[in-house]
């Protein structure tokens, strides 16, 4: 790391002789492969952006915005944060995305695709020239197209650097460059993206223009590390062996369970179609794409279009299954509300990575889906707590024919309940299950929503230790609130709700409102995520930070009961 260790700012980078830049690029790649093998992170995108990022900081001293923000690791290395990489994505450590708290070189904290051009449009109108680096499929998003129209029509001085690696998570759909040309923005290139001198020369030529223009840079995701090339599994990776690129394996994930169960339904349901927004692999739809290509659609990074298109499919007699990360689902709320629910169209939405996701930070936590979905008329929302209830939820959702269904589940391994006593059903399958205790009048009723069921049982155990009788129930379908849950809660002296979404307007609030509507004046103590943007860290650390550890909850319940 002879050269890399001498660089703490772009000014230092500009002092490096041009002949030494290939060596610097090699040092950066070696550092990335070694460091991320321990912490995990977005390896492939950053290996592909090494020479481009070097050239950008050598040529420009104006704001540089990256879309998406996961391709900024090299940018961080060249702006004084090299020594922080051992803390990448850990609690209190360096973020995996741009962070204004870390550096003045990070202008925006973006991590959702297709937004940087809009930021650039606003900045450039006031500050002058701005550079926007768009890549990993971000030009497939409609918001980027709207920004391009604005930039072109008003001749806003934005230099658009298209980091064209042909992929987001998966191969890019459509022809993003045609959008630039259609907007009237001249496109220069293509330029080979792994030659520092060639890129730097092209960027210097671009810097001479006052009008908007685009520079087409062709790069290879994972360049220089053969174990990553064209492997969408290494878009973002956990810890791995740097010699082989093979990561650590765990048990069956929630996504695995969903994927296998959906595939089984596709085999005997000709009306099913699957839709995703640039993420067939991460959302579990890759097996559907392989086995039923004529019943699968990847619309690119265009969640609004995905949902509205699904509405059209449902209107034509199909049952769409739309799989999207919870954090990206917010973009399509209007379409869910007015294009699907208003029309009472049978469409199933799978919200992967719901709740606290952890290491990817505030923009990737799926904390708002339950609060949003609980306001949608006619929508049914399921929060399975383990692999068995996920399979049950999907089976039931696919039979709903009068409106949308939503199934949300977290990141990571799905509990199997092996070796544990089966829960007792208090109603029809999937309506309400008793997990601990025996409901009785004047007891505490603890409602564990989805993946928080285990924490709810932990609270029950702690209350039992101090002589407070309680029971734990878990509704598979959390919204609307099952009538049997309201009947059971009406007999308790105190109700506790625990969820891994925002507590304001969440399922706990919905239960309290439902009890009030039924004429029951009962205390409901709600536990969930406060109105904050939790930073990055492990799921357990973030849950503890939000007060969602069994000990913390039990202590607050005891204090309330002792008032």
């Amino acid at each position: 790391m002879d050269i890399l260790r001498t660089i703490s700012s772009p000014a230092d980078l500009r002092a490096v002789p041009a002949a030494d830049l290939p060596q610097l690029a090699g040092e950066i790649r070696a550092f990335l492969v070694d460091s991320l093998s321990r912490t995990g992170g977005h390896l492939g995108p950053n290996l592909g952006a090494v020479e481009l990022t070097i050239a950008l900081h050598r040529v420009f001293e104006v704001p540089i915005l990256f879309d998406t923000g996961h391709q900024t690791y090299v940018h961080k290395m060249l702006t004084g944060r090299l020594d922080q990489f051992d803390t990448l994505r850990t609690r209190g450590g360096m973020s995996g995305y741009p962070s204004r708290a870390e550096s003045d070189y990070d202008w925006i904290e973006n991590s959702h695709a297709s937004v940087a051009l809009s930021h650039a449009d606003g900045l450039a109108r006031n500050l002058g020239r701005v550079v926007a680096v768009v890549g990993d499929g971000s030009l497939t998003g409609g918001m980027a197209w709207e920004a391009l129209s604005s930039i072109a029509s008003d001749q806003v001085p934005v230099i658009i650097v298209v980091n064209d690696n042909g992929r987001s998570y998966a191969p890019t759909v459509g022809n993003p460059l045609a959008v630039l040309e259609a907007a009237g923005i001249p496109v220069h290139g293509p330029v080979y993206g792994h030659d520092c001198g060639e890129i730097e020369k092209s960027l210097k030529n671009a810097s001479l223009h006052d009008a908007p223009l685009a520079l087409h840079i062709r790069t290879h995701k994972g360049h220089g590390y053969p174990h990553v090339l064209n492997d969408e599994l290494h878009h973002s990776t956990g810890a791995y062996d740097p010699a082989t690129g093979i990561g650590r394996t765990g048990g069956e994930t929630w996504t695995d369970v969903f994927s296998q169960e959906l595939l089984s339904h596709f085999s005997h349901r000709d009306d099913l179609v699957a839709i995703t927004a640039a993420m067939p692999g991460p959302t579990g739809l890759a097996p559907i794409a392989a086995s039923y290509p004529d019943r699968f659609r990847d619309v690119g990074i265009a969640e609004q279009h995905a949902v509205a298109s699904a509405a059209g499919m449902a209107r034509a007699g199909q049952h769409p299954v739309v799989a999207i990360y919870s954090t990206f689902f917010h973009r399509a709320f209007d379409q869910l509300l007015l294009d699907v629910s208003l029309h009472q169209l049978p469409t199933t939405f799978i919200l992967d990575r719901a709740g606290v996701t952890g290491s990817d930070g505030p923009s990737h936590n799926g904390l708002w889906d339950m609060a949003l979905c609980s306001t949608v008329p006619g929508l049914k929302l399921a929060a399975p707590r383990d692999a068995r209830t996920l399979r049950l939820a999907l089976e039931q959702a696919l039979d709903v024919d009068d409106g949308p269904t939503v199934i949300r589940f977290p990141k990571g391994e799905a509990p199997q309940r092996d070796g544990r006593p089966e829960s007792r059903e208090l109603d029809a399958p999937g309506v309400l299950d008793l997990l601990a205790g025996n409901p009785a009048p004047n007891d505490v009723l603890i409602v564990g929503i989805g993946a928080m069921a285990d924490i709810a049982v932990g609270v029950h155990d702690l209350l039992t230790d101090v002589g407070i009788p309680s029971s734990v129930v878990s509704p598979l379908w959390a919204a609307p609130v099952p009538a049997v849950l309201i009947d059971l809660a009406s007999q308790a002296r105190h109700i506790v709700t625990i969820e891994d979404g925002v507590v304001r307007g969440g399922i706990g609030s919905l239960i309290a409102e439902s009890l009030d509507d039924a004429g029951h004046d009962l205390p409901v103590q709600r536990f969930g995520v406060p109105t904050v943007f939790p930073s990055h860290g492990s799921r357990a650390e973030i849950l503890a930070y939000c007060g969602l550890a069994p000990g913390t909850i039990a202590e607050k319940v005891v204090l309330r009961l002792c008032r």
Side-chain angles (χ1 to χ4, degrees), residues 1-5 22-32 77:
M1 303 298 167
D2 294 342
I3 303 175
L4 182 57
R5 291 291 180 188
Q23 179 183 336
L24 173 61
E27 291 179 7
I28 289 173
R29 285 195 171 88
F31 181 90
L32 284 171
M77 295 165 72

Side-chain angles (χ1 to χ4, degrees), residues 92-118:
M94 188 171 68
S95 170
Y97 296 93
S99 170
R100 291 178 297 167
E102 289 178 8
S103 173
D104 290 340
Y105 290 102
D106 294 1
W107 281 82
I108 55 175
E109 300 187 10
N110 64 309
S111 57
H112 286 195
S114 310
V115 303
L117 288 172
S118 295

Side-chain angles (χ1 to χ4, degrees), residues 124-208:
R125 290 173 186 270
N126 294 278
L127 301 181
R129 181 182 290 115
V130 171
V131 177
V133 184
V134 295
D136 273 25
S138 55
L139 277 178
T140 63
M143 187 173 174
W145 298 9
E146 295 174 23
L148 288 173
S149 176
S150 175
I151 290 168
S153 64
D154 292 344
Q155 291 292 285
V156 182
V158 176
I159 295 177
I160 303 163
V161 178
V162 182
N163 179 15
D164 177 13
N165 58 28
R167 302 177 69 85
S168 50
Y169 281 85
T172 303
V173 300
N175 182 8
L177 292 174
V179 179
L180 291 159
E181 296 165 349
I185 296 176
V187 180
H188 295 192
V191 177
Y192 178 61
H194 300 294
D195 183 319
C196 290
E198 186 175 348
I199 301 173
E200 189 169 329
K201 178 181 177 182
S202 299
L203 290 175
K204 286 179 178 178
N205 289 336
S207 70
L208 301 177

Side-chain angles (χ1 to χ4, degrees), residues 173-336:
V173 300
N175 182 8
L177 292 174
V179 179
L180 291 159
E181 296 165 349
I185 296 176
V187 180
H188 295 192
V191 177
Y192 178 61
H194 300 294
D195 183 319
C196 290
E198 186 175 348
I199 301 173
E200 189 169 329
K201 178 181 177 182
S202 299
L203 290 175
K204 286 179 178 178
N205 289 336
S207 70
L208 301 177
H209 294 259
D210 293 326
L213 63 85
L215 183 62
H216 180 198
I217 310 290
R218 282 185 174 160
T219 62
H220 300 98
K221 202 166 188 174
H223 185 80
Y225 185 54
H227 303 299
V228 176
L229 282 177
N230 297 320
D231 185 354
E232 68 180 64
L233 295 178
H234 284 84
H235 172 84
S236 179
T237 179
Y240 58 91
D241 179 354
T244 64
I246 298 175
R248 300 171 186 169
T249 58
E252 188 176 47
T253 67
W254 292 91
T255 309
D256 294 335
V257 175
F258 157 68
S259 180
Q260 295 160 10
E261 187 68 11
L262 182 64
L263 192 62
S264 70
H265 286 284
F266 259 69
S267 67
H268 61 85
R269 286 278 300 266
D270 293 338
D271 61 323
L272 296 180
V273 291
I275 306 172
T276 190
M279 302 175 70
T283 59
L285 295 186
I288 300 294
S291 300
Y292 302 94
D294 57 332
R295 294 160 59 190
F296 167 79
R297 289 196 63 207
D298 180 353
V299 301
I301 302 176
E303 291 84 1
Q304 291 173 287
H305 170 59
V307 175
S309 178
M313 294 178 183
R315 185 67 180 85
Q318 296 177 301
H319 189 117
V321 178
V322 184
I324 299 174
Y325 280 10
S326 173
T327 183
F328 302 134
F329 189 61
H330 314 144
R331 297 176 162 205
F333 179 73
D334 183 69
Q335 286 67 39
L336 167 69

